[in-house]
Amino acid sequence: MELKQMQKVSFYIGSNNTTKQKEPEKAFLVLNSFFSDYTILNTIGAWQGLQEESFIIEVITDKTEEELLSIRDQLKTALAQESVLLTCETIKGSF
């Protein structure tokens, strides 16, 4: 078995600024348009010094930076978020 170089992308999304609730179902509507496989991790984070329930979406993908930034912007709009953090890292993996 040989490990292949891949790109792992993570989107960090906080709770709704008004209701203080996580809204992963809204994220699904965006994600399902671009990815057939992804993982959602429930977590607790902080935004501007206030602790909140959050979730992280992890995807292994070969999408371009431009495509990923567009997806991030669509997530921001769909979830009414001021900010969604997008990170990309090169990994080695095998399915």
Side-chain angles (χ1 to χ4, degrees), residues 32-71:
N32 291 337
S33 298
F34 299 100
F35 307 108
S36 60
D37 305 296
Y38 51 84
T39 299
I40 295 185
L41 307 165
N42 291 307
T43 188
I44 297 174
W47 173 249
Q48 298 181 339
L50 298 175
Q51 193 172 9
E52 64 180 358
E53 289 190 27
S54 305
F55 57 101
I56 302 167
I57 301 161
E58 291 187 343
V59 182
I60 307 299
T61 185
D62 59 358
K63 294 204 179 297
T64 67
E65 183 175 325
E66 184 177 320
E67 291 171 312
L68 293 170
L69 289 169
S70 175
I71 294 166

Side-chain angles (χ1 to χ4, degrees), residues 3-19:
L3 298 179
K4 289 179 21 179
Q5 189 165 319
M6 303 175 183
Q7 178 175 261
K8 181 174 92 169
V9 175
S10 299
F11 299 94
Y12 293 77
I13 303 172
S15 298
N16 179 297
N17 293 333
T18 303
T19 67

